Amino acid sequence: MSMGLSTATPLPPASDTDVVTSTFSLVDYVVFVLLLVLSLAIGLYHAYRGWGRHSIGQLLLADRKMGCLPVALSLLATFQSAVAILGVPSEIYRFGTQYWFLGCCYFLGLLIPAHVFIPIFYRLHITSAYEYLELRFNKAVRVCGTVTFIFQMVIYMGVVLYAPSLALNAVTGFDLWLSVLTLGIVCTIYTALGGLKAVIWTDVFQTLVMFLGQLAVIIVGSAKVGGLGHVWEVASQHGLISGIELDPDPFVRHTFWTLAFGGVFMMLSLYGVNQAQVQRYLSSRTEKAAVLSCYAVFPCQQVALSMGCLIGLVMFTYYQEYPMSTQQSQAAPDQFVLYFVMDLLRGLPGLPGLFVACLFSGSLSTISSAFNSLATVTMEDLIRPWFPHVSEVRATMLSRIIAFGYGLLCLGMAYISSQMGPVLQAAISIFGMVGGPLLGLFCLGMFFPCANPPGAIVGLLAGLIMAFWIGIGSIVTSMGSGRALSPPNGSSFSLSSNLTAVTMATLMPSTAASKPTGLQRLYSLSYLWYSAHNSTTVIVVGLAVSLLSGGMRGRTVDPRTIYPVLPKLLALLPLSCQKRLPCRAGSQDLSLEACMFPEKMSNGMLRGSRDQVDMAVPEEGPVQPGISPTFILQETSL
C-alpha cells in the first residue's frame, strides 16, 4: 500500500459560517480579459500577416520553420490543461507527495520520442502522423487510426472546455455559459485563421501566464503560513511527504513502479504518437530542432509538476491554520484549489484574475491544439487522398472551414457534457483509453517488420475492446461501490449538483476499503498502467494475426518506416555469436529486413556487400504491389 494512500489525513473541522461566493474586482476582470484579447491578437496577427499568400503547409505546419523554444513551450502547454492545474494540487492535498514520482517517467517518456518517433516521422516528410500508417501498412490502417484519433479528441474537447468553466462557476459565480462561449469562440477564431503558427505562439504566451499564476499562489500562500520551510515541516508531521513505495503490485494505485514506468507508456502515447504533438515536431525547421524541443520539455515538465505539488502542500498547511467553511469541506476535489485561491488572494486585486487567466490558459492551449490537429488529420487523411488535385487556395480555405467546424462541434460537445451526469467520467477516461491502442499500433509498425495490415487492424480493435472493457468496467464498479463518491478524507458531494466532481475521478480515484477479487480485481488496475496494458494487447494480437496470415510475404516494407531494433540488439551480443547469425550487427549492420528474412538473400532481392550497409532503401520511387523490389544498400541511420 502506498504511503500516499495510507497517510491521507482528514480535512480540518469546518467552521460554522458558509463561505460567500467570491466575486471579481474590476482589476481581476481587466487581467482576465487581457488574456483573451492578447491571445486573440497573437492569432489574428499571424492570420493577417501575408493574408492571401498562405499555403496549406503554412497553415498546418507553420511552413516547417519554427524554432526549438516556442515548439517546446507549445508541447508543454498542449496537455498542461486546466484539469491538471486543478487536479495535481488536489491530489497532493488529499494523498501526499507520492504523485510527484510521476516526474521519473518524464526522462524515458521524452527520450524515446526524441530518438525513435521524431526521426522516423521527420524524415518521411509527412504532415499527419497517420500518413505513416499508410506508408507502413495500407490506406485502410491509416483511416482506422485517423478515425480513432478523431473520436478520442472530439469527446475530450467538450469536457476540457466545460469542466473548468463549471468549477469556476461554482466557486466564483462566473457565468458558466459565458465562459464556455468565450473560450470556444476565441480558440476557434485564432486557430482557424492563424493556423499552427498562431497556435504555437499563443501557447507560448499562455504557458507564461500559467507559470505566473501558479507562482503567485505559491509565493503569497507560503508567505501567509510562515514560509516554505514551515510548509514542509507541517506536511512531514502529518505524513504527506511520501517515501519511495516499491510495491510492484500493478493494482495499487500509486507506487514508484506504477508512476515511474507505467507513466512512461502514458507519456509515449501523448508525446510520441499523438497528432497534436507530432505536428509540432514536424513544424520545426530541422530535425535537430525537433529533438531539442523534446529535450527542453523535460525540465519544463518537472517545474510544472513541482509547482503543482507545492500548491497542494501550501494549501494543506493553510487549512491547518485557517479552518474551512462548510461549503468548502463539501466541495468536489477539483474545486478545492479554486476555493483556496479565492480565499488566499482575497484583498489582492488582480491576483485572483491572474489565476483564473492561468486556468483558462490551460484550456485555451489544449483546445486550440485539438482544433488544429483535428483539422490537419481530416484534411490530410480523409479529404486529400480522395481529392488529390484540389488547389492550394481551396485546400487552405477548406482547412479553415474544417477548423471552424470543429470549434462549433466543441461547443456542442460542451453542452452534451452538461447533460451527461455520471457519464462525464467515462468521457474523460476515453482520452486515456484510446491513447494506449494507438501507441501499440505505431509500435507494431515500427518495431516488427513481420506485422501486416490485417494484424494491425485486428490488433487495434482488440486493444480498443480491452481498453473500453477495463476502463468502463472500472468506472461502473467504482460508482456501484460508492468509491468515487466517498473520498477517504470524508468529503462528500452530489453528482447531480457537482458534475465536475467526476472530472478528476480518472486522475485520482479513491480506494475501496475491501480488496477486490475476480473481475473486480482486474477493474482495479492502476490507471497509469492502462496505456501499457492496451498497447501491449495491440502488439501481441497484431503479431499473432500477422504470423497466422503469412506475415509480410508477398508484400514490401518501406525500410524508412522501420526502426532497426534488431541490429541494435544484436550489436550487444559477443562477436562469436554475431558471426553465427545470418546477418552481422554493429556499425556495419545489414538491413533489418534482411536480418528478419535472410531467405531474401538467396532470392536475389537484396544485393550489395553485407559489410557496408545499415539499411536497405528503395532505389527509386515507391514499390508497386506485386512487383519484386530492387534495393540498393547504403549507409543510413534512423
Side-chain angles (χ1 to χ4, degrees), residues 494-509:
S494 167
L495 280 174
S496 59
S497 61
N498 289 298
L499 293 177
T500 50
V502 201
T503 305
M504 296 312 302
T506 300
L507 293 179
M508 38 189 188

Side-chain angles (χ1 to χ4, degrees), residues 251-387:
F251 298 99
V252 176
R253 179 172 164 264
H254 282 169
T255 68
F256 174 79
W257 305 114
T258 297
L259 291 160
F261 290 97
V264 168
F265 290 87
M266 180 188 70
M267 290 291 292
L268 291 179
S269 67
L270 292 177
Y271 286 91
V273 300
N274 189 283
Q275 171 64 23
Q277 306 294 55
V278 171
Q279 203 167 335
R280 280 151 180 75
Y281 300 142
L282 299 176
S283 70
S284 302
R285 62 170 61 98
T286 63
E287 181 184 325
K288 183 178 179 181
V291 172
L292 288 176
S293 67
C294 196
Y295 277 153
V297 174
F298 176 71
C300 295
Q301 283 277 23
Q302 294 288 358
V303 170
L305 178 62
S306 297
M307 290 178 74
C309 292
L310 281 175
I311 291 175
L313 294 178
V314 170
M315 181 167 63
F316 182 87
T317 306
Y318 180 86
Y319 284 125
Q320 295 299 311
E321 300 181 13
Y322 303 93
M324 280 186 175
S325 67
T326 303
Q327 184 177 348
Q328 285 173 295
S329 62
Q330 293 180 349
D334 55 316
Q335 293 177 349
F336 287 172
V337 179
L338 274 170
Y339 273 118
F340 165 64
V341 169
M342 293 302 155
D343 193 16
L344 175 71
L345 302 181
R346 186 181 302 162
L348 298 173
L351 290 185
L354 178 61
F355 186 80
V356 170
C358 158
L359 190 65
F360 274 61
S361 290
S363 290
L364 283 167
S365 59
T366 302
I367 297 168
S368 62
S369 299
F371 287 171
N372 190 254
S373 59
L374 284 168
T376 300
V377 298
T378 303
M379 186 67 198
E380 294 297 318
D381 298 328
L382 301 181
I383 295 179
R384 295 195 85 169
W386 304 105
F387 302 97

Side-chain angles (χ1 to χ4, degrees), residues 32 36 177-187 360 364 411:
F32 175 64
L36 299 176
W177 290 106
L178 177 61
S179 62
V180 169
L181 287 172
T182 302
L183 277 176
I185 292 172
V186 168
C187 266
F360 274 61
L364 283 167
L411 292 173

Side-chain angles (χ1 to χ4, degrees), residues 13-213:
S15 63
D16 295 330
T17 58
D18 284 349
V19 73
V20 179
T21 300
S22 302
T23 56
F24 268 19
S25 67
L26 179 61
V27 179
D28 294 321
Y29 277 109
V30 169
V31 172
F32 175 64
V33 171
L34 199 58
L35 163 75
L36 299 176
V37 171
L38 288 176
S39 295
L40 190 59
I42 293 171
L44 293 178
Y45 168 76
H46 289 287
Y48 289 103
R49 186 183 180 188
W51 182 265
R53 300 194 301 272
H54 287 166
S55 65
I56 192 70
Q58 289 173 322
L59 197 66
L60 300 182
L61 288 178
D63 214 20
R64 301 183 190 264
K65 290 182 179 179
M66 295 304 300
C68 169
L69 185 59
V71 170
L73 292 177
S74 182
L75 288 169
L76 174 68
T78 297
F79 291 109
Q80 185 69 10
S81 69
V83 175
I85 294 172
L86 293 174
V88 173
S90 181
E91 161 72 20
I92 301 301
Y93 174 84
R94 299 168 73 212
F95 301 121
T97 59
Q98 187 74 35
Y99 186 80
W100 181 86
F101 290 105
L102 182 68
C104 298
C105 79
Y106 292 164
F107 182 72
L108 279 179
L110 294 168
L111 188 68
I112 295 174
H115 291 281
V116 177
F117 296 106
I118 291 178
I120 290 179
F121 289 143
Y122 200 91
R123 295 176 193 183
L124 288 173
H125 207 70
I126 58 180
T127 300
S128 163
Y130 304 100
E131 289 181 60
Y132 166 85
L133 296 177
E134 182 176 356
L135 293 172
R136 173 60 181 87
F137 297 111
N138 60 22
K139 186 169 289 186
V141 179
R142 176 181 180 176
V143 172
C144 287
T146 300
V147 171
T148 303
F149 172 77
I150 291 175
F151 172 73
Q152 175 193 29
M153 296 302 289
V154 165
I155 293 293
Y156 188 60
M157 276 195 311
V159 178
V160 169
L161 178 60
Y162 175 73
S165 298
L166 182 59
L168 190 68
N169 168 262
V171 176
T172 67
F174 205 84
D175 186 83
L176 171 63
W177 290 106
L178 177 61
S179 62
V180 169
L181 287 172
T182 302
L183 277 176
I185 292 172
V186 168
C187 266
T188 301
I189 291 174
Y190 76 71
T191 303
L193 297 180
L196 183 61
K197 183 175 287 188
V199 171
I200 288 178
W201 282 111
T202 49
D203 281 351
V204 171
F205 168 65
Q206 290 154 9
T207 301
L208 297 177
V209 173
M210 281 189 277
F211 279 126
L212 283 174

Side-chain angles (χ1 to χ4, degrees), residues 380-401:
E380 294 297 318
D381 298 328
L382 301 181
I383 295 179
R384 295 195 85 169
W386 304 105
F387 302 97
H389 302 298
V390 63
S391 67
E392 193 78 6
V393 174
R394 288 190 176 183
T396 302
M397 184 57 65
L398 186 57
S399 294
R400 289 196 169 104
I401 293 172

